[in-house]
Every structure is written in structure tokens, then in C-alpha cells.
Amino acid sequence: MFKQISKYWWCQMLGWTAYFSVNTFFAITFSNKVPGIFHYVNVLVFMAFGLISTHLFRNIIHRFNWVNYSFEKQLLLFFAMLTGTGILLYLGYYFVLSFVWKGKAMFAPVFVGIASSFIITAIWWLIYFIWHYIERNRSSQVGQLQLETTVKELELKTIKAQLNPHFIFNALNSIRALVDENPQRARTAITELSNILRSSMATEKAETVSLENELNIVKDYLALEHIRFEERLSVQYEIDPDTLEMPVPPMMLQTLVENAIKHGISRMISGGTVFITSRLIGMQHEITIENTGQIVENNINGHGFGLQSTRQRLSLLFGNRATFDIRNKDEKTVEARVVMPLL
């Protein structure tokens, strides 16, 4: 049963028990006698409203996801919670005891009561905020280690799954066909393939790369695919220049574009269009890849390795501040959309 009690409630119970013990100890020490019923009722009422007020305001700030606030906002939040909790604690304590003792002066004077309320709640919130600050830093360090481990594991998986043997085989066949017909284009295609492979191998060396670097790899990849699809493949870009230096997970954009080619364009007899956009929306960076095609109903959420790795890397880098979804935009178009916070 005790294992089911959360750390928060253990801290609440132990903290208020410690308050009761210390308060009683000092009452005995200064009065040289065992406190009467009035002392215990006053302390228990104070503890009850202390527990109620702190728990109530804790639930309020949890709804606003306060742990993602900046330090300045958290500092303001601390004083707001201190003020609100202190006032609620004292008012509840004062009115209940006024009713219990029916006007008798059986509790501390107003100034002492208010001071006690604010001191106790200040200690409570200070411990609470420091605890979460340490926990967040620890989680951040663990997340960093997980990211480094994941990036290393993705190196071979990227070559095998993202740049799968079928793509390399098709690219080499396309290049071979150009050797006699257009030697210059064949040399360029080999360079493009080399750039993609080099970028894939470098994924373990960086957590993020600039969008501009990602676009260069995507353009090399699409240039190779143009050899295979020719006029069946059309590519359009709408890139906000302000987003070119924005950080993105390495090979993420290339993975999504390859997914659009493999599961969209290649299945259309007449081919289709890949439309890549990047723009800033408020304090977020949005990237969308639209392609001709449709997602079948049972795969609407996208569970392939490339899409799963995209979700995983976004989660490790940005937590719940980043989102990724893929859907049928209309009857002819699929849209993959990534939204990342500005760092």
C-alpha cells in the first residue's frame, strides 16, 4: 500500500508532521508544560489549511505546464504562489478558529498569524521549486545521454533503413545508364550520392544541423531521383530565408522527402509533385512536406522506421514542445508536418 503513495504525498505528510512536532516542541520548551487542547486544535487547523492551500495552488500551476517557463517567469510564479497560498492559509485558519472558539482569543494575533502563514508557505514553495529544478536538470542530463546513444544507434539504421539498399541500387543503375550517354551528369550524380552517404555517416557527430545543410542533402537526393523519374517528378520549394539557420535533427528532412517519394510519387503512374515549405509561425519553426498520393487507412499515423525515428529524435531534442504528424490533406495530397520551438 505504501508503495502506491507518490513522493509528493510522502513529502506533504512528512513535512506537516515535522511542522507539528517542531511547533509542539517549542510550545513545551517555552511554557514548561504540556500544551492544552487549544494548542493542538490551532496547530491542526493550520496544518489542514496549509495542506489544502498548497495542494490547490500546485494543481493550478500544473495545468499551465509551468516547468517549461523561463527562469524569470518561474520567479514571478513563485511569489504569486507564495502570496496566494499564504492568504488562503491564513484566512481559512482565522475564520475556522473564529467559529470554533466563537470570538475567544485562542489563536495567534493577526500579524503573527499572517507572518507564520507566509513563512511556512515560503519554505514549502522554496522546497517545491528547488526540487523540480533539480529534477528537471537531472532529466535533461538523462535525455542528453539518451539522445547521444540514440544518434549512435541510428548511424547503421540510417544507412540500412533511411538510405535503403533499394535506393542505392536504383541510384547506381541510373548512374550506370548515364555513363555513356552523359558522362558529365554521371560524375555529378556520383558526387550527389557521395554527399548523401557522407551526411548519413555524420549523424552521430551532431544533435542538430542547420536547415540549409539539410536542404543541400535533400536537393542532392532529389537530383538523383530525377534521373529515375524524369518528368514524372516535380519539386517545389517555399523556404523562408530566416529559417535557413534554424536547427533540425540531421537527416530528418531527407527521411520525410524519401518517404514522400517511396510511398507517394513512385506509386503514381503519372508521378506527382513534392512541395517543401519552411516558415516561422510565432515562436515556432514549421516544416511541411506535401506530396501527391494517399495514405491507406490502416497506416494513417505512419509507423515506419523513418517516421518513428523522426518522432523519437524530436521528442529527445525538444520534449513535448515539438510535434510531428502525417495525414491525408485532401483526396490527392499527403502532408507531413513538423513543428519545432525556436531555441
Side-chain angles (χ1 to χ4, degrees), residues 45-104:
V45 170
F46 189 91
M47 289 171 55
F49 276 95
L51 180 63
I52 292 170
S53 60
T54 53
H55 184 66
L56 174 63
F57 278 90
R58 171 186 175 269
N59 285 343
I60 292 174
I61 64 173
H62 266 249
R63 291 186 179 183
F64 293 96
N65 200 23
W66 69 274
V67 292
N68 290 325
Y69 289 3
S70 65
F71 176 79
E72 291 78 11
K73 287 186 177 180
Q74 289 195 19
L75 192 60
L76 292 174
L77 186 63
F78 171 83
F79 286 107
M81 294 299 100
L82 168 60
T83 303
T85 310
I87 292 174
L88 180 60
L89 169 55
Y90 179 74
L91 291 177
Y93 167 79
Y94 180 86
F95 285 112
V96 169
L97 289 186
S98 295
F99 176 80
V100 171
W101 304 128
K102 297 181 179 179
K104 298 178 182 179

Side-chain angles (χ1 to χ4, degrees), residues 16 20 41 53 66 77 96 119 125 129 154 190 251 277 279 283 291 294 297 302:
W16 290 110
F20 178 86
V41 170
S53 60
W66 69 274
L77 186 63
V96 169
I119 290 173
W125 284 111
F129 274 74
L154 283 174
I190 292 173
M251 301 300 290
T277 67
R279 56 184 175 177
M283 296 300 292
N291 65 272
Q294 286 286 278
E297 189 64 29

Side-chain angles (χ1 to χ4, degrees), residues 151-194:
V151 170
K152 290 180 181 179
E153 292 175 351
L154 283 174
E155 179 186 9
L156 290 177
K157 290 182 179 179
T158 298
I159 297 175
K160 293 179 180 179
Q162 293 177 328
L163 294 174
N164 55 69
H166 295 290
F167 160 66
I168 297 176
F169 176 78
N170 290 333
L172 290 175
N173 270 346
S174 299
I175 293 171
R176 183 179 63 180
L178 289 173
V179 170
D180 294 328
E181 299 176 7
N182 191 340
Q184 180 59 41
R185 181 67 186 93
R187 286 193 292 269
T188 302
I190 292 173
T191 301
E192 293 163 348
L193 179 59
S194 174

Side-chain angles (χ1 to χ4, degrees), residues 309-323:
S309 68
T310 297
R311 291 190 177 94
Q312 184 181 24
R313 284 183 286 177
L314 286 171
S315 176
L316 288 170
L317 281 171
F318 306 110
N320 58 9
R321 296 179 298 157
T323 60

Side-chain angles (χ1 to χ4, degrees), residues 7 67 129-147 316:
K7 292 180 181 178
V67 292
F129 274 74
I130 290 176
W131 170 276
H132 278 278
Y133 178 80
I134 295 173
E135 278 292 297
R136 186 171 59 172
N137 281 353
R138 185 182 65 83
S139 299
S140 177
Q141 292 174 356
V142 171
Q144 182 75 14
L145 293 175
Q146 289 177 341
L147 177 60
L316 288 170

